[in-house]
Amino acid sequence: MKIFELTIDSNIHWEWKVVLSKKTDHLFKVIESIENDEEILFNNDTKIQMLLVNIQKDIKKRKEAPFQSDILYWTDDLVLDTYSPYKGIIISKKLKNILLSYVLPPYNLYPIDIINSENLEINTDYFLFHTKDRIIDITLFNESEYTYYKKRKEIKRSIGDFNSYEEFNLHYHKSFDDENIKIKMTKRVVSTKNDIIPNSLNHLYVKDTFYKESKNLMGVIFKEASNIVIK
């Protein structure tokens, strides 16, 4: 079974980015809750508000209209004093409905208002999708492949060296500190019956059964993740 990384096509949709200000009072809880894998709790009449900005400052060079992609890139912006978490993805209503027809891991899904920073129009057709588990939670560390590097040169490759993330993390830091050896997981074996696999900010891993949806999505690409194996 092939695994694909689902993400925005940055070659086509790179001008418009979504940001969330740290100064927006209680909305900082969005970041905190996602990073703690917790549900974001608001009043019934409260929605997450985000801001759409265009990073192409020369208006004459702009080629992209806003809200054209089924994934919007959530980013940091030091000028605006904004911050993004390490995972989570902004998806269109269309992609949300597609995802909900598949077998999903535990997740949170929040409606959001995205304010166009240039004309102040509000778009309500996007959602924040956040998986509550992490890929390390479904990783079989004792069956995965590890490659050892010293001075960027591969010195060893083996399978099943560690039994847990904690053990891997301990040896990762100890090997680097004591011997300047860096350990990289080069083939990750995961165990799941879900069609969606947790990933980092602005990305999702999907099983190959999801690939047929590519023709229904705009501005989204599927990259084969050959370093992930489903068991």
Side-chain angles (χ1 to χ4, degrees):
M1 175 182 295
K2 292 183 178 180
I3 302 299
F4 291 91
E5 186 178 38
L6 179 67
T7 188
I8 188 169
D9 187 347
S10 57
N11 292 320
I12 301 174
H13 298 286
W14 63 270
E15 293 182 8
W16 294 98
K17 312 288 186 183
V18 174
V19 296
L20 176 67
S21 175
K22 288 191 290 185
K23 296 180 178 179
T24 313
D25 300 328
H26 64 280
L27 291 184
F28 183 64
K29 293 180 181 178
V30 172
I31 305 296
E32 185 180 17
S33 296
I34 289 176
E35 293 189 339
N36 292 328
D37 295 309
E38 298 172 346
E39 183 178 2
I40 304 169
L41 299 176
F42 294 136
N43 297 328
N44 292 334
D45 58 346
T46 304
K47 293 178 66 175
I48 298 173
Q49 291 186 340
M50 306 185 87
L51 192 67
L52 187 74
V53 298
N54 196 306
I55 64 172
Q56 174 56 269
K57 302 305 181 184
D58 189 340
I59 297 178
K60 294 181 180 180
K61 293 183 179 180
R62 291 183 182 176
K63 299 179 181 180
E64 181 187 346
F67 303 113
Q68 296 299 298
S69 176
D70 286 303
I71 295 177
L72 297 182
Y73 195 89
W74 186 358
T75 187
D76 297 334
D77 192 311
L78 297 179
V79 175
L80 296 174
D81 194 22
T82 63
Y83 179 59
S84 56
Y86 69 90
K87 67 176 182 178
I89 186 168
I90 307 299
I91 59 175
S92 68
K93 183 184 297 184
K94 182 199 297 183
L95 180 49
K96 178 206 73 169
N97 292 335
I98 291 173
L99 282 175
L100 293 180
S101 67
Y102 285 83
V103 181
L104 303 178
Y107 68 92
N108 290 314
L109 184 67
Y110 306 102
I112 55 179
D113 287 339
I114 303 179
I115 304 169
N116 188 322
S117 62
E118 300 190 348
N119 58 22
L120 301 184
E121 292 181 354
I122 299 176
N123 186 298
T124 61
D125 290 332
Y126 285 82
F127 296 79
L128 168 58
F129 180 77
H130 160 227
T131 56
K132 292 190 285 187
D133 53 1
R134 303 165 297 170
I135 194 167
I136 63 172
D137 297 327
I138 60 173
T139 297
L140 300 176
F141 285 86
N142 60 345
E143 298 185 28
S144 298
E145 177 190 82
Y146 305 89
T147 302
Y148 297 71
Y149 299 89
K150 190 165 188 176
K151 296 181 179 179
R152 299 184 179 182
K153 181 179 179 181
E154 180 180 329
I155 60 173
K156 177 184 174 183
R157 184 173 297 214
S158 56
I159 295 174
D161 290 0
F162 310 103
N163 293 310
S164 66
Y165 170 74
E166 291 74 19
E167 186 178 335
F168 168 72
N169 192 49
L170 177 65
H171 281 79
Y172 177 91
H173 291 288
K174 182 174 175 55
S175 295
F176 188 78
D177 293 340
D178 294 348
E179 304 177 72
N180 198 27
I181 293 176
K182 186 174 182 179
I183 308 173
K184 182 178 180 180
M185 182 184 290
T186 45
K187 186 78 71 174
R188 181 187 296 270
V189 180
V190 300
S191 177
T192 181
K193 294 182 180 179
N194 299 320
D195 296 311
I196 307 300
I197 301 169
N199 200 359
S200 56
L201 180 67
N202 298 315
H203 302 264
L204 283 175
Y205 285 128
V206 297
K207 290 183 177 178
D208 53 9
T209 51
F210 196 89
Y211 187 78
K212 65 179 182 291
E213 306 294 351
S214 60
K215 64 180 182 297
N216 300 318
L217 298 174
M218 293 289 295
V220 173
I221 56 174
F222 288 70
K223 297 180 181 179
E224 184 176 349
S226 57
N227 62 325
I228 299 180
V229 176
I230 295 281
K231 181 176 180 180

